[in-house]
Amino acid sequence: MEPLQAPEGDVVATHPATLFGRVLAVLMMVLPGAAMVWFGTQVSGSDADARMPLLAGGGTLLALGVLAIVQQNRSKVVVRTDGIERWGLRGKLWALRWAEMIELRYRAVKIRVYHVIPAGTNIHVTLTDPQGRKRRLPSNMKGMDVLAERVADQQTAARFPEARATIERGEEVRFGKALILDKEKISVRKLFGGYKSCALPDIEKIAVEAGFLRIRQRGKFLAFGGGSVGAIPNVFLFLRLLDALIARSATIPQDREFSVRASVG
Protein backbone atom coordinates (compact mmCIF):
# COMPACT_ATOMS: atom_id res chain seq x y z
CA MET A 1 0.00 0.00 0.00
CA GLU A 2 1.34 3.41 -0.97
CA PRO A 3 2.16 5.77 1.92
CA LEU A 4 -0.32 8.56 2.50
CA GLN A 5 0.69 12.01 1.34
CA ALA A 6 0.39 14.98 3.66
CA PRO A 7 -1.69 17.94 2.44
CA GLU A 8 0.35 20.71 0.85
CA GLY A 9 -2.32 23.25 -0.16
CA ASP A 10 -2.74 26.76 1.18
CA VAL A 11 -3.90 27.20 4.78
CA VAL A 12 -7.60 28.04 4.89
CA ALA A 13 -8.08 28.27 8.66
CA THR A 14 -6.42 27.40 11.97
CA HIS A 15 -8.51 26.21 14.91
CA PRO A 16 -6.60 26.36 18.23
CA ALA A 17 -7.82 24.76 21.45
CA THR A 18 -10.25 26.70 23.61
CA LEU A 19 -9.21 28.14 26.98
CA PHE A 20 -11.30 25.62 28.90
CA GLY A 21 -8.57 22.99 29.13
CA ARG A 22 -6.00 25.48 30.37
CA VAL A 23 -8.36 26.96 32.95
CA LEU A 24 -9.20 23.45 34.13
CA ALA A 25 -5.50 22.59 34.44
CA VAL A 26 -4.91 25.68 36.57
CA LEU A 27 -7.90 24.98 38.84
CA MET A 28 -7.41 21.21 39.18
CA MET A 29 -3.61 20.89 39.19
CA VAL A 30 -1.59 24.11 39.32
CA LEU A 31 -3.38 25.78 42.23
CA PRO A 32 -3.74 22.62 44.36
CA GLY A 33 -0.12 21.71 43.61
CA ALA A 34 1.12 25.16 44.61
CA ALA A 35 -0.95 24.97 47.80
CA MET A 36 0.53 21.58 48.69
CA VAL A 37 4.08 22.84 48.09
CA TRP A 38 3.42 25.91 50.26
CA PHE A 39 1.99 23.82 53.09
CA GLY A 40 4.98 21.49 52.78
CA THR A 41 7.38 24.36 53.32
CA GLN A 42 5.45 25.40 56.44
CA VAL A 43 5.52 21.99 58.11
CA SER A 44 7.87 21.63 61.04
CA GLY A 45 8.20 19.92 64.40
CA SER A 46 6.09 16.84 65.04
CA ASP A 47 4.48 17.10 61.56
CA ALA A 48 7.78 16.93 59.71
CA ASP A 49 6.99 13.45 58.41
CA ALA A 50 4.29 14.99 56.18
CA ARG A 51 6.75 17.43 54.60
CA MET A 52 8.13 15.20 51.84
CA PRO A 53 4.77 13.72 50.71
CA LEU A 54 3.32 17.22 50.45
CA LEU A 55 6.29 18.55 48.48
CA ALA A 56 6.40 15.51 46.20
CA GLY A 57 2.65 15.46 45.56
CA GLY A 58 2.48 19.21 45.06
CA GLY A 59 5.47 19.23 42.71
CA THR A 60 3.93 16.42 40.65
CA LEU A 61 0.62 18.27 40.33
CA LEU A 62 2.43 21.47 39.35
CA ALA A 63 4.46 19.68 36.69
CA LEU A 64 1.40 17.95 35.26
CA GLY A 65 -0.54 21.22 35.23
CA VAL A 66 2.23 23.06 33.39
CA LEU A 67 2.53 20.18 30.91
CA ALA A 68 -1.24 20.27 30.28
CA ILE A 69 -1.15 24.03 29.67
CA VAL A 70 1.78 23.70 27.24
CA GLN A 71 -0.02 20.86 25.42
CA GLN A 72 -3.19 22.94 25.07
CA ASN A 73 -1.17 25.91 23.84
CA ARG A 74 0.23 23.76 21.01
CA SER A 75 -2.99 21.90 20.26
CA LYS A 76 -4.60 23.00 16.99
CA VAL A 77 -6.16 21.79 13.74
CA VAL A 78 -4.94 23.37 10.50
CA VAL A 79 -7.35 23.27 7.55
CA ARG A 80 -5.72 23.34 4.11
CA THR A 81 -7.28 23.40 0.67
CA ASP A 82 -6.44 19.71 0.18
CA GLY A 83 -6.69 18.32 3.73
CA ILE A 84 -6.14 18.87 7.44
CA GLU A 85 -3.32 18.63 9.97
CA ARG A 86 -3.51 17.85 13.69
CA TRP A 87 -0.86 19.48 15.90
CA GLY A 88 -0.08 18.80 19.55
CA LEU A 89 2.68 18.72 22.14
CA ARG A 90 4.97 16.65 19.89
CA GLY A 91 4.40 18.80 16.82
CA LYS A 92 2.41 17.49 13.86
CA LEU A 93 0.58 14.38 15.07
CA TRP A 94 -1.05 13.41 11.78
CA ALA A 95 -2.15 14.82 8.44
CA LEU A 96 -4.74 13.59 5.99
CA ARG A 97 -5.96 14.68 2.57
CA TRP A 98 -9.69 15.00 1.85
CA ALA A 99 -9.62 12.29 -0.81
CA GLU A 100 -7.98 9.85 1.64
CA MET A 101 -10.73 10.19 4.25
CA ILE A 102 -12.41 6.89 3.44
CA GLU A 103 -14.90 7.23 6.27
CA LEU A 104 -16.26 10.13 8.31
CA ARG A 105 -18.39 9.75 11.42
CA TYR A 106 -20.07 12.80 12.92
CA ARG A 107 -21.81 13.04 16.28
CA ALA A 108 -22.99 16.10 18.18
CA VAL A 109 -24.29 15.94 21.73
CA LYS A 110 -26.06 18.69 23.65
CA ILE A 111 -24.67 19.20 27.14
CA ARG A 112 -27.28 19.94 29.81
CA VAL A 113 -26.69 20.76 33.46
CA TYR A 114 -28.93 18.55 35.61
CA HIS A 115 -30.41 17.30 32.30
CA VAL A 116 -32.32 20.60 31.97
CA ILE A 117 -30.13 23.70 31.56
CA PRO A 118 -28.42 23.91 28.11
CA ALA A 119 -24.63 24.19 28.49
CA GLY A 120 -23.34 23.93 24.94
CA THR A 121 -22.68 21.22 22.38
CA ASN A 122 -19.88 18.69 22.06
CA ILE A 123 -19.11 17.76 18.46
CA HIS A 124 -17.17 14.58 17.72
CA VAL A 125 -15.64 13.92 14.28
CA THR A 126 -13.72 10.71 13.52
CA LEU A 127 -11.94 10.07 10.22
CA THR A 128 -10.66 6.74 8.87
CA ASP A 129 -7.79 6.56 6.40
CA PRO A 130 -7.29 3.87 3.68
CA GLN A 131 -5.19 1.81 6.12
CA GLY A 132 -8.05 1.64 8.62
CA ARG A 133 -6.48 3.99 11.17
CA LYS A 134 -8.90 6.32 12.94
CA ARG A 135 -8.11 10.00 13.35
CA ARG A 136 -10.17 11.97 15.86
CA LEU A 137 -10.57 15.73 15.92
CA PRO A 138 -10.55 17.09 19.49
CA SER A 139 -13.95 18.47 20.45
CA ASN A 140 -12.41 21.45 22.29
CA MET A 141 -11.26 23.38 19.22
CA LYS A 142 -12.38 26.98 18.78
CA GLY A 143 -15.17 27.22 16.21
CA MET A 144 -15.69 23.46 16.36
CA ASP A 145 -19.06 23.73 14.59
CA VAL A 146 -17.41 25.55 11.66
CA LEU A 147 -14.49 23.11 11.64
CA ALA A 148 -16.85 20.10 11.58
CA GLU A 149 -18.84 21.59 8.71
CA ARG A 150 -15.69 22.32 6.71
CA VAL A 151 -14.42 18.78 7.17
CA ALA A 152 -17.79 17.19 6.33
CA ASP A 153 -18.30 19.34 3.23
CA GLN A 154 -14.78 18.77 1.89
CA GLN A 155 -14.76 15.04 2.60
CA THR A 156 -18.17 14.65 0.98
CA ALA A 157 -17.10 16.60 -2.10
CA ALA A 158 -13.94 14.48 -2.43
CA ARG A 159 -15.78 11.14 -2.14
CA PHE A 160 -18.86 12.08 -4.19
CA PRO A 161 -17.53 11.55 -7.77
CA GLU A 162 -16.35 8.00 -7.05
CA ALA A 163 -19.55 7.07 -5.22
CA ARG A 164 -21.75 8.54 -7.97
CA ALA A 165 -19.78 6.66 -10.64
CA THR A 166 -20.24 3.43 -8.67
CA ILE A 167 -24.00 3.91 -8.62
CA GLU A 168 -24.13 4.81 -12.31
CA ARG A 169 -22.40 1.50 -13.09
CA GLY A 170 -25.33 -0.26 -11.43
CA GLU A 171 -23.42 -1.14 -8.28
CA GLU A 172 -24.36 -0.34 -4.68
CA VAL A 173 -22.71 1.93 -2.14
CA ARG A 174 -22.74 0.80 1.48
CA PHE A 175 -22.76 3.06 4.52
CA GLY A 176 -21.58 0.68 7.19
CA LYS A 177 -24.19 -1.91 8.11
CA ALA A 178 -26.97 0.68 8.36
CA LEU A 179 -27.73 1.67 4.76
CA ILE A 180 -27.25 0.51 1.17
CA LEU A 181 -27.92 2.79 -1.78
CA ASP A 182 -28.12 2.00 -5.49
CA LYS A 183 -29.66 3.60 -8.57
CA GLU A 184 -33.16 2.28 -7.84
CA LYS A 185 -33.62 1.89 -4.09
CA ILE A 186 -32.52 2.40 -0.49
CA SER A 187 -32.04 -0.63 1.73
CA VAL A 188 -32.02 -0.34 5.52
CA ARG A 189 -31.06 -2.92 8.10
CA LYS A 190 -33.91 -4.66 9.91
CA LEU A 191 -34.02 -4.91 13.67
CA PHE A 192 -33.32 -8.66 13.69
CA GLY A 193 -30.99 -8.83 10.68
CA GLY A 194 -31.38 -8.64 6.93
CA TYR A 195 -32.46 -5.63 4.90
CA LYS A 196 -35.67 -4.12 3.61
CA SER A 197 -35.85 -1.88 0.55
CA CYS A 198 -37.73 1.18 -0.64
CA ALA A 199 -37.73 2.35 -4.26
CA LEU A 200 -36.41 5.89 -4.69
CA PRO A 201 -39.67 7.20 -6.26
CA ASP A 202 -41.53 6.02 -3.13
CA ILE A 203 -39.49 8.18 -0.77
CA GLU A 204 -41.60 10.99 0.64
CA LYS A 205 -39.10 12.70 2.92
CA ILE A 206 -35.63 12.29 4.35
CA ALA A 207 -34.62 14.52 7.23
CA VAL A 208 -32.21 14.79 10.12
CA GLU A 209 -34.10 15.48 13.34
CA ALA A 210 -32.64 15.47 16.87
CA GLY A 211 -29.55 13.59 15.74
CA PHE A 212 -31.45 10.87 13.86
CA LEU A 213 -31.76 10.25 10.14
CA ARG A 214 -35.39 9.50 9.34
CA ILE A 215 -36.59 8.08 6.01
CA ARG A 216 -40.32 8.25 5.32
CA GLN A 217 -41.99 6.13 2.66
CA ARG A 218 -44.97 7.51 0.76
CA GLY A 219 -48.27 6.25 2.16
CA LYS A 220 -46.72 4.79 5.34
CA PHE A 221 -47.47 6.11 8.82
CA LEU A 222 -44.28 4.89 10.49
CA ALA A 223 -40.77 5.83 9.34
CA PHE A 224 -39.30 3.37 6.86
CA GLY A 225 -35.87 3.45 8.50
CA GLY A 226 -32.86 5.50 9.43
CA GLY A 227 -30.81 5.64 12.60
CA SER A 228 -28.48 7.76 14.67
CA VAL A 229 -26.35 10.08 12.57
CA GLY A 230 -23.29 9.09 14.61
CA ALA A 231 -23.80 5.41 13.75
CA ILE A 232 -23.89 5.95 9.97
CA PRO A 233 -20.49 6.41 8.30
CA ASN A 234 -20.35 9.07 5.58
CA VAL A 235 -23.92 10.12 6.33
CA PHE A 236 -23.46 13.44 4.50
CA LEU A 237 -22.28 11.63 1.39
CA PHE A 238 -25.42 9.50 1.60
CA LEU A 239 -27.60 12.63 1.76
CA ARG A 240 -25.83 14.27 -1.18
CA LEU A 241 -26.12 11.16 -3.32
CA LEU A 242 -29.84 11.03 -2.60
CA ASP A 243 -30.23 14.66 -3.61
CA ALA A 244 -28.54 13.85 -6.92
CA LEU A 245 -30.55 10.68 -7.54
CA ILE A 246 -34.01 12.03 -6.80
CA ALA A 247 -33.26 15.50 -8.17
CA ARG A 248 -34.86 17.40 -5.31
CA SER A 249 -33.75 18.64 -1.92
CA ALA A 250 -34.50 15.91 0.59
CA THR A 251 -31.86 16.38 3.21
CA ILE A 252 -30.62 19.10 5.53
CA PRO A 253 -31.70 22.69 4.68
CA GLN A 254 -28.97 24.84 3.20
CA ASP A 255 -29.46 27.51 5.88
CA ARG A 256 -29.02 24.95 8.66
CA GLU A 257 -27.24 25.56 11.91
CA PHE A 258 -24.91 22.65 11.24
CA SER A 259 -24.34 21.31 14.74
CA VAL A 260 -27.23 22.65 16.78
CA ARG A 261 -30.46 22.43 14.80
CA ALA A 262 -29.78 19.74 12.24
CA SER A 263 -27.61 17.03 13.68
CA VAL A 264 -27.62 17.26 17.46
CA GLY A 265 -28.92 14.39 19.58
Side-chain angles (χ1 to χ4, degrees):
M1 184 177 293
E2 295 183 1
L4 302 180
Q5 294 183 336
E8 299 175 344
D10 295 335
V11 174
V12 175
T14 299
H15 294 261
T18 62
L19 291 175
F20 179 77
R22 279 160 280 191
V23 172
L24 192 64
V26 170
L27 294 178
M28 301 299 292
M29 290 185 282
V30 174
L31 291 181
M36 290 174 66
V37 170
W38 184 83
F39 280 117
T41 60
Q42 305 303 308
V43 171
S44 61
S46 60
D47 296 328
D49 290 343
R51 179 185 181 90
M52 290 308 297
L54 282 172
L55 291 176
T60 300
L61 275 178
L62 274 172
L64 290 175
V66 170
L67 184 64
I69 291 171
V70 173
Q71 189 276 333
Q72 287 295 292
N73 285 338
R74 297 184 180 181
S75 180
K76 63 181 178 180
V77 174
V78 178
V79 181
R80 294 183 177 272
T81 54
D82 57 344
I84 58 173
E85 300 170 347
R86 170 77 173 99
W87 292 74
L89 186 62
R90 295 179 287 108
K92 186 189 294 186
L93 302 179
W94 54 266
L96 198 58
R97 294 194 176 194
W98 304 123
E100 294 171 342
M101 297 177 185
I102 300 301
E103 182 178 291
L104 178 146
R105 289 181 183 265
Y106 170 95
R107 184 168 62 93
V109 180
K110 282 184 178 179
I111 306 301
R112 297 181 183 274
V113 179
Y114 301 115
H115 303 286
V116 176
I117 304 172
T121 302
N122 277 347
I123 301 175
H124 305 273
V125 176
T126 303
L127 306 166
T128 303
D129 67 21
Q131 299 172 355
R133 292 177 298 188
K134 297 187 182 300
R135 309 295 193 182
R136 292 178 174 83
L137 298 182
S139 59
N140 67 331
M141 297 290 103
K142 288 184 179 179
M144 187 61 196
D145 55 341
V146 177
L147 173 60
E149 183 165 11
R150 281 182 172 136
V151 173
D153 285 348
Q154 293 289 345
Q155 189 264 355
T156 298
R159 305 299 304 172
F160 179 79
E162 180 183 352
R164 182 63 190 272
T166 299
I167 289 178
E168 291 299 328
R169 291 195 302 267
E171 302 174 18
E172 62 185 26
V173 177
R174 288 179 172 265
F175 299 86
K177 296 181 179 179
L179 299 167
I180 303 174
L181 180 65
D182 61 36
K183 188 184 293 187
E184 299 179 349
K185 64 183 183 301
I186 297 176
S187 299
V188 301
R189 190 173 179 83
K190 296 180 181 178
L191 183 61
F192 299 105
Y195 289 87
K196 59 181 179 179
S197 300
C198 175
L200 295 184
D202 293 336
I203 295 175
E204 181 179 16
K205 181 182 179 182
I206 296 180
V208 177
E209 301 169 349
F212 283 83
L213 174 70
R214 304 186 189 279
I215 304 172
R216 299 197 64 86
Q217 187 175 6
R218 200 178 310 279
K220 301 292 184 178
F221 177 73
L222 298 177
F224 168 73
S228 169
V229 169
I232 304 173
N234 294 334
V235 64
F236 300 105
L237 175 61
F238 170 77
L239 295 173
R240 182 168 175 184
L241 284 169
L242 271 179
D243 277 346
L245 290 172
I246 63 181
R248 61 183 171 85
S249 179
T251 60
I252 302 175
Q254 292 301 309
D255 61 348
R256 66 190 183 272
E257 295 175 31
F258 184 82
S259 63
V260 178
R261 181 159 60 86
S263 303
V264 175

